[in-house]
Amino acid sequence: MFRNQLLDCHKRIKPYIHRTPVLTSRLLNDISGAKIFFKCENFQRMGAYKMRGATNAILLLSKEERAKGVVTHSSGNFAQALSLAAQSLKVQAHIVMPSNAPKVKKIAVRQYGGNIVECDPTIESRTATANKIAHETGATFIHPSNDMNVIIGQGTAAMELLEDYPKLDFIFTPIGGGGLIAGTALSANYFGDNCKVIGGEPFEADDAYRSFHSGKIESNYTTNTIADGLKTVLGDNTFPIIQKYVHDIIRVTEDEIVSAMRLIWERLKIIVEPSSAVAFAALIREKENYQGKSIGVIISGGNVDLNSLPF
């Protein structure tokens, strides 16, 4: 079932997304001891992989649903993705953003035509505000990570990576709400050759790691991390997929995130946001377990506030 959904989705969204490049670095290979293939979703439209899932979700709405618009809550990248996808498809997008969301991401949402409604920086406030807008406008709520159409869309990044490099041993992704890693794990299962998926997560927001080991969805004790895109928690759609198809989750420190981010900037010559660097940081942290392996790393996005760089 998921195999056909992934294939159909890729065909559906192709006209609206970029097929992003894959970069390599001899020095980063030397540092890690592995052969790394970076899938650069920072070059995706609006600067992150989330364009894929947002576009798929809107394309699957009926004509009547599109006429009433869409609504989501997001701290940044999905807000931008849904805004741009909606603009491309001539659909109104209502975007609930926490008051502490990065200014650069709010500016981008407005540029993409999204109607921003600010809320308190809590999951409860985000949910309540989005529900209120949906009730008042009739807009369809699209969850940033826990919507199956979004999850399938996000999985197309790994599909493309595996088309280019079918013999990958592992794919590393960051993990926040779980949409990217769930979609990636489905693609690795159906299109990889015994390819295992590893999640990278900050110690400061490690709900997915604890959920993975406890067998139930856990909350975050803290979200004091530079990786602002990874502060959300798993959902009832992402978690079962992660349980079944993800091989492991590795936690990393804030210093390790900054170090990995700097290495990517310096050696690949590309802009990546802290959340993206978490996947590479996870590989570096446990590099002794991946010597000589062929590894895909999904660079999830490049929407960074250049006024707040950590180096």
Side-chain angles (χ1 to χ4, degrees):
M1 179 182 73
F2 288 128
R3 185 179 191 279
N4 288 336
Q5 286 183 27
L6 286 159
L7 290 168
D8 291 344
C9 170
H10 196 239
K11 192 181 298 182
R12 186 183 304 119
I13 68 176
K14 223 173 190 176
Y16 304 98
I17 64 164
H18 297 319
R19 186 180 180 109
T20 51
V22 178
L23 298 182
T24 60
S25 163
R26 181 181 55 79
L27 184 79
L28 297 185
N29 288 349
D30 290 344
I31 289 171
S32 67
K35 291 180 288 185
I36 312 175
F37 301 90
F38 293 92
K39 177 65 169 170
C40 295
E41 287 293 293
N42 54 317
F43 293 136
Q44 188 53 262
R45 290 186 71 202
M46 56 65 53
Y49 73 93
K50 293 193 175 184
M51 186 67 186
R52 297 171 180 271
T55 302
N56 190 47
I58 295 178
L59 284 170
L60 287 171
L61 295 178
S62 68
K63 186 178 178 182
E64 293 74 23
E65 287 171 326
R66 289 196 206 184
K68 293 179 180 178
V70 292
V71 58
T72 194
H73 54 71
S74 166
S75 62
N77 278 343
F78 195 76
Q80 294 174 71
L82 197 69
S83 298
L84 182 55
Q87 185 182 69
S88 301
L89 296 165
K90 297 179 171 54
V91 173
Q92 174 65 61
H94 304 280
I95 311 295
V96 177
M97 298 188 78
S99 54
N100 63 350
K103 184 180 176 183
V104 65
K105 296 186 178 182
K106 289 180 181 177
I107 291 170
V109 168
R110 292 192 179 96
Q111 289 174 335
Y112 295 143
N115 173 39
I116 295 178
V117 179
E118 290 201 4
C119 69
D120 293 332
T122 66
I123 293 290
E124 294 77 17
S125 179
R126 284 161 60 145
T127 303
T129 307
N131 288 343
K132 183 171 182 283
I133 293 169
H135 178 72
E136 291 174 352
T137 65
T140 299
F141 176 70
I142 298 177
H143 195 280
S145 57
N146 199 45
D147 182 299
M148 278 309 304
N149 294 331
V150 170
I151 292 167
I152 294 296
Q154 317 305 29
T156 60
M159 266 184 73
E160 292 176 358
L161 179 58
L162 287 163
E163 282 177 8
D164 293 339
Y165 299 96
K167 297 297 183 183
L168 292 177
D169 298 304
F170 297 91
I171 299 178
F172 279 69
T173 81
I175 180 166
L180 176 61
I181 196 169
T184 299
L186 291 174
S187 286
N189 181 69
Y190 290 103
F191 303 104
D193 181 8
N194 195 31
C195 178
K196 297 180 175 66
V197 172
I198 311 290
E201 187 176 45
F203 274 101
E204 294 292 332
D206 68 346
D207 61 292
Y209 174 87
R210 288 181 287 105
S211 301
F212 189 70
H213 290 282
S214 73
K216 65 180 192 292
I217 296 175
E218 305 278 358
S219 298
N220 277 313
Y221 297 131
T222 171
T223 55
N224 186 29
T225 177
I226 190 176
D228 63 273
L230 306 185
K231 295 180 179 182
T232 50
V233 296
L234 302 178
D236 58 357
N237 283 324
T238 56
F239 184 48
I241 296 170
I242 290 165
Q243 282 184 299
K244 185 172 182 179
Y245 294 108
V246 170
H247 182 68
D248 199 8
I249 297 172
I250 298 169
R251 294 176 294 179
V252 294
T253 67
E254 297 300 292
D255 285 346
E256 286 169 334
I257 296 170
V258 173
S259 174
M261 182 177 169
R262 183 169 186 142
L263 269 175
I264 293 170
W265 279 55
E266 288 179 344
R267 299 303 169 182
L268 289 181
K269 316 299 183 192
I270 59 174
I271 292 176
V272 302
E273 59 192 89
S275 299
S276 292
V278 169
F280 181 51
L283 170 58
I284 295 299
R285 182 181 178 89
E286 297 197 3
K287 64 182 182 180
E288 67 279 359
N289 295 328
Y290 301 97
Q291 296 299 294
K293 301 297 184 183
S294 291
I295 295 175
V297 173
I298 297 186
I299 300 289
S300 55
N303 295 320
V304 64
D305 185 350
L306 297 177
N307 293 314
S308 304
L309 289 177
F311 43 71

